[in-house]
Amino acid sequence: MKTCVLIPARYASTRYPGKPLVNLLGKPMVLWCAELAARAVGREHVYVATEDQRIVDVVEGAGFQAVMTSSAALTGTDRLAEAAEKLPYDIFINLQGDEPLVDPEDIRAIAARKAQDMSVIVNGFTWIGSEEDPHSRNIPKVVATEDGRLLYMSRAALPGFKDEKCAPIRYKKQVCIYAFTRDELRAFARFGRKSEVEACEDIEILRFFEMGHSIVVVETKPGNLAVDVPADVAPVEASLRRIWGL
């Protein structure tokens, strides 16, 4: 199975314009992601899909490959679908460009799970840390069966409970590493709009869920933090210093 990592990087983010190029310890965030992806699949199999020439210039200036996509893409996965039409791979790993703390081993594990069963879509998850708020709407929470099949994903603190003694001790959260085939991406894009639940939750993988696809989740290492809003930069930089000894 030929595998690549595609990093969707939209400059015109509604919540954080220019987010892919935000400096984390002096390096644009998209390059932190690209370098981690290169450790997983090799630099020659890493691509950044973007609608903005400024991101292309930064990515290519660092020796990575960029794919220019439309500014009309509804989501990162729609952008991925457009880029995938131009690339000769069997498995497309979507690594979100705001996940600079992912472990390359987790990328490989998700690719391996996809290769094991090409009929399922694969997504990462981990446990919400003590420093994170499960009620934060910036954190998609994962509800899955005991054997790893996705039941639902929400920005609400799920699963809910009737009796306080059943309150979750820990919540699961989405880690934005996904694995798709070209046909899955093509069907996603051809849907042509955000599905009702996808639009309500603003979680794009729910479109696959509503389209009837089977989705499995793979546990990744703890400690993954994403940059969703400017306030996330400081804790992510603190984690990068700790990991890299900077």
Side-chain angles (χ1 to χ4, degrees):
M1 293 290 175
K2 289 189 65 179
T3 301
C4 72
V5 173
L6 267 169
I7 302 171
R10 180 186 177 212
Y11 190 90
S13 170
T14 52
R15 285 185 293 179
Y16 195 171
K19 184 170 69 169
L21 298 183
V22 65
N23 273 321
L24 300 177
L25 304 182
K27 183 189 300 182
M29 179 163 61
V30 69
L31 295 185
W32 283 101
C33 297
E35 289 171 4
L36 292 170
R39 293 182 178 210
V41 299
R43 179 178 286 257
E44 68 274 22
H45 302 302
V46 176
Y47 303 83
V48 174
T50 183
E51 92 294 16
D52 195 278
Q53 188 62 43
R54 286 167 287 190
I55 295 175
V56 171
D57 292 343
V58 167
V59 166
E60 293 183 344
F64 287 98
Q65 302 171 89
V67 180
M68 184 64 83
T69 54
S70 168
S71 61
L74 294 174
T75 68
T77 304
D78 289 288
R79 191 173 308 285
L80 202 79
E82 184 180 340
E85 295 293 343
K86 306 173 184 180
L87 301 172
Y89 291 90
D90 303 300
I91 296 174
F92 296 87
I93 303 295
N94 179 343
L95 173 63
Q96 295 291 85
D98 58 6
E99 294 267 1
L101 295 171
V102 299
D103 189 328
E105 287 294 333
D106 291 332
I107 297 173
R108 284 192 282 266
I110 286 172
R113 179 65 180 87
K114 180 64 173 175
Q116 178 185 334
D117 184 354
M118 297 290 281
S119 70
V120 297
I121 289 163
V122 187
N123 195 185
F125 83 92
T126 191
W127 298 92
I128 291 181
S130 58
E131 75 284 3
E132 297 176 285
D133 179 8
H135 297 277
S136 169
R137 293 184 180 179
N138 291 328
I139 303 174
K141 270 67 69 174
V142 170
V143 183
T145 63
E146 293 180 5
D147 63 352
R149 289 178 292 112
L150 183 68
L151 291 173
Y152 191 60
M153 201 175 291
S154 178
R155 294 188 181 275
L158 294 181
F161 54 92
K162 182 178 181 181
D163 192 319
E164 287 288 339
K165 69 182 181 182
C166 297
I169 298 173
R170 297 190 297 170
Y171 291 85
K172 297 172 182 175
K173 69 173 182 178
Q174 182 189 40
V175 174
C176 291
I177 313 171
Y178 316 81
F180 309 114
T181 64
R182 189 191 320 278
D183 285 345
E184 288 163 347
L185 288 167
R186 192 174 284 161
F188 183 92
R190 286 179 177 171
F191 194 80
R193 59 178 175 84
K194 291 187 177 184
S195 68
E196 290 185 8
V197 175
E198 174 195 6
C200 182
E201 293 277 10
D202 193 23
I203 300 174
E204 59 209 64
I205 201 168
L206 291 175
R207 192 187 312 177
F208 283 115
F209 202 59
E210 291 199 82
M211 290 167 62
H213 288 266
S214 296
I215 303 169
V216 298
V217 291
V218 171
E219 185 172 358
T220 68
K221 74 161 192 173
N224 279 312
L225 298 175
V227 176
D228 293 303
V229 293
D232 295 328
V233 170
V236 167
E237 285 191 316
S239 293
L240 288 169
R241 288 190 186 96
R242 184 173 62 253
I243 292 168
W244 299 104
L246 301 172

